[in-house]
């Protein structure tokens, strides 16, 4: 097998930590000697062993000696003490000869120091193996660790004529089952899911992850004037699923929500509405490293206008609704000319069932470059 093939094995292992390691990165490690994989590991849960030490534990449990072996790891090994001891020390102690690294770690506590430590202790380091794939895996971690702001993904489903609902307001379902299942993976991947109060009033959603053995994201409701019904699914389940209601209303109005398990956040006022930038900063301070926007056109416009959106995911269904009054994915005032449009880059297009998913990064967003 090639170095790239071993790294792809490590990438697949890393993905198993999706949804459970936040705000840490997803990392996978494979130990190879004489063309045979002798150890595998991945970061399984925040606070638990890192991928390298999990791979060594795999070897140790079977009495396998790692001396002289190669290690393939998707992210530069850490060299500092946190909830776990440095992985670089374990690499040296186990006699690893060569380490193949996918991504450099932008964490200021690591940032090249991990590879430097290994080289100083006689370990050969080969960097940038499948770097693009490894970087993409941890785009959330890379932004959060360098800016302390959540990575924000705007997601919506629309018809080929750009509608997110019929003129009647009916919207279930635009996309097929395969696309809707893919959205559940995004709910697992992101630490929080955000909608506006209009979505709560119209749909009374649960906003949970419906994957088997999944993990529910923190639910964030943008509700400037506390219109979220106390009998809504969101409030009724707040003791079971972490729920944040962001508002402009003063604290004397919070008690009914707090009694039912909601966390209420007071945000800055922007033209009579929640200041999305301020809310995103507050969520970052709560160690929420990523937010999935599943709101309507008003919230999407506010987030774009605030400059907080990092990625757009548009599911396009082979349908046409028509209707001059039917809603589109982004509302608000809009831009005044094509020259002032929000520019997207690095498009990736794939088919999911009968639908098409288009993913693009938002150009020149803080933290992208």
């Amino acid at each position: 097998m090639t170095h790239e093939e071993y790294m792809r094995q490590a990438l697949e292992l890393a993905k198993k930590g999706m949804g459970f390691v936040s705000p840490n990165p997803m990392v996978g490690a494979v130990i190879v000697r004489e063309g045979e994989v002798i150890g595998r590991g991945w970061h399984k849960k925040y606070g638990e062993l890192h991928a390298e030490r999990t791979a060594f534990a795999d070897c140790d449990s079977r009495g396998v000696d790692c001396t002289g072996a190669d290690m393939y790891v998707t992210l530069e090994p850490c060299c500092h003490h946190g909830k776990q001891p440095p992985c670089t020390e374990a690499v040296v102690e186990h006699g690893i000869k060569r380490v193949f690294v996918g991504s450099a770690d932008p964490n200021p506590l690591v940032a090249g120091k991990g590879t430097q430590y290994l080289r100083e202790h006689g370990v050969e380091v080969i960097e940038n193996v499948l770097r693009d794939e490894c970087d993409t895996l941890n785009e959330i971690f890379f932004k959060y660790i360098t800016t302390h702001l959540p990575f924000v993904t705007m997601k919506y489903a629309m018809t080929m004529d750009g509608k997110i609902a019929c003129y009647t307001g009916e919207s279930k379902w635009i996309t097929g089952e395969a696309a809707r299942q893919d959205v559940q993976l995004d709910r697992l991947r992101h630490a929080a899911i955000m909608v506006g109060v209009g979505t709560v009033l119209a749909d009374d959603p649960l906003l949970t992850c419906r994957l088997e053995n999944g993990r529910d994201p923190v639910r964030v409701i943008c509700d400037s004037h506390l219109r979220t019904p106390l009998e809504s699914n969101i409030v009724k389940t707040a003791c079971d699923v972490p729920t944040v209601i962001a508002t402009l209303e003063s604290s004397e109005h919070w008690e009914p929500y707090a009694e039912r398990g909601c966390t209420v956040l007071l945000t800055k006022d922007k033209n009579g509405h929640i200041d999305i930038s301020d809310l995103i900063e507050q969520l970052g301070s709560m160690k929420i490293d990523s937010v999935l926007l599943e709101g309507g056109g008003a919230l999407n416009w506010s987030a774009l206008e605030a400059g907080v959106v990092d990625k757009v995911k548009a599911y396009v269904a082979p349908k046409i609704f028509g209707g001059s009054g039917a809603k589109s994915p982004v509302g608000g005032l809009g831009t005044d000319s094509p020259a002032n449009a929000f520019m997207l880059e690095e498009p990736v297009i794939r088919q999911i069932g009968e639908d098409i998913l288009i993913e693009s990064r938002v150009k020149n967003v803080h933290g992208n470059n």
Side-chain angles (χ1 to χ4, degrees):
M1 293 179 67
T2 65
H3 300 314
E4 288 76 14
E5 288 172 318
Y6 288 126
M7 188 61 78
R8 284 199 174 89
Q9 287 191 27
L11 276 165
E12 290 306 308
L13 290 169
K15 292 174 185 176
K16 293 184 177 185
M18 182 187 297
F20 299 99
V21 300
S22 171
N24 280 354
M26 291 179 279
V27 185
V30 172
I31 302 173
V32 179
R33 185 170 55 211
E34 297 178 354
E36 179 186 355
V37 175
I38 61 173
R40 297 177 177 86
W42 67 96
H43 187 27
K44 297 180 180 180
K45 188 176 181 181
Y46 178 70
E48 295 186 359
L49 289 178
H50 291 180
E52 299 92 325
R53 288 185 177 272
T54 305
F56 289 133
D58 179 33
C59 293
D60 294 343
S61 68
R62 295 178 287 107
V64 176
D65 185 2
C66 299
T67 303
D70 295 335
M71 171 173 274
Y72 295 80
V73 61
T74 56
L75 184 68
E76 178 183 359
C78 67
C79 55
H80 65 287
H81 285 268
K83 290 185 177 295
Q84 295 293 332
C87 290
T88 49
E89 292 181 1
V91 171
V92 173
E93 290 167 1
H94 282 79
I96 294 295
K97 181 181 179 180
R98 296 187 298 180
V99 174
F100 295 82
V101 176
S103 296
D105 191 340
N107 184 344
L109 295 174
V110 185
K113 301 181 186 72
T115 55
Q116 180 182 351
Y117 178 95
L118 293 176
R119 286 175 173 136
E120 289 174 350
H121 287 78
V123 180
E124 183 181 353
V125 180
I126 298 89
E127 300 179 78
N128 301 320
V129 180
L130 294 185
R131 178 170 181 174
D132 288 346
E133 292 177 43
C134 292
D135 284 357
T136 298
L137 176 73
N138 279 311
E139 60 185 357
I140 287 173
F141 170 74
F142 286 178
K143 178 180 181 184
Y144 185 72
I145 199 66
T146 55
T147 68
H148 305 295
L149 295 172
F151 186 98
V152 179
T153 301
M154 177 192 297
K155 186 279 300 181
Y156 52 81
M158 67 180 186
T159 60
M160 285 188 69
D161 59 334
K163 307 298 183 181
I164 61 172
C166 297
Y167 75 91
T168 60
E170 189 68 33
S171 61
K172 293 183 179 179
W173 294 102
I174 293 175
T175 55
E177 178 60 32
R180 298 201 296 274
Q181 190 72 2
D182 193 65
V183 171
Q184 297 303 313
L185 282 173
D186 266 333
R187 290 186 178 184
L188 176 64
R189 181 180 296 112
H190 290 74
I193 181 171
M194 182 185 293
V195 300
V197 67
T199 296
V200 176
L201 293 171
D203 301 334
D204 194 22
L206 275 171
L207 303 179
T208 53
C209 178
R210 294 189 287 275
L211 296 176
E212 186 177 356
N213 300 319
R215 183 262 321 147
D216 291 326
V218 176
R219 302 176 301 192
V220 181
I221 313 302
C222 296
D223 185 358
S224 299
H225 303 295
L226 285 182
R227 294 188 293 141
T228 300
L230 296 177
E231 65 275 12
S232 65
N233 283 324
I234 291 291
V235 176
K236 287 193 298 186
T237 58
C239 287
D240 300 316
V241 183
T243 302
V244 174
I245 299 181
T247 187
L248 301 178
E249 296 291 336
S250 55
S251 57
E252 61 259 28
H253 302 289
W254 298 359
E255 186 175 352
Y257 296 96
E259 287 178 345
R260 290 163 173 79
C262 299
T263 297
V264 184
L265 291 182
L266 180 66
T267 73
K268 295 178 181 177
D269 186 323
K270 186 173 183 181
N271 301 322
H273 298 282
I274 286 168
D275 186 326
I276 296 295
S277 295
D278 179 52
L279 174 57
I280 289 296
E281 288 184 14
Q282 290 195 52
L283 295 177
S285 68
M286 296 167 62
K287 291 192 174 181
I288 291 176
D289 67 356
S290 51
V291 176
L292 179 65
L293 294 182
E294 285 202 22
L299 179 61
N300 287 345
W301 170 256
S302 295
L304 282 168
E305 190 178 33
V308 301
V309 180
D310 295 280
K311 176 183 279 189
V312 176
K313 297 185 71 170
Y315 294 85
V316 183
K319 302 174 182 178
I320 292 178
F321 285 172
S324 59
K327 294 179 179 179
S328 63
V330 181
L333 179 63
T335 58
D336 56 2
S337 75
N340 293 326
F342 292 96
M343 301 303 296
L344 307 179
E345 60 184 358
E346 303 174 22
V348 176
I349 303 172
R350 56 190 174 102
Q351 185 165 349
I352 302 179
E354 61 189 15
D355 306 303
I356 299 297
L357 171 61
I358 305 173
E359 296 183 62
S360 289
R361 296 293 292 258
V362 180
K363 193 173 183 179
N364 295 329
V365 169
H366 176 62
N368 275 3
N369 299 313

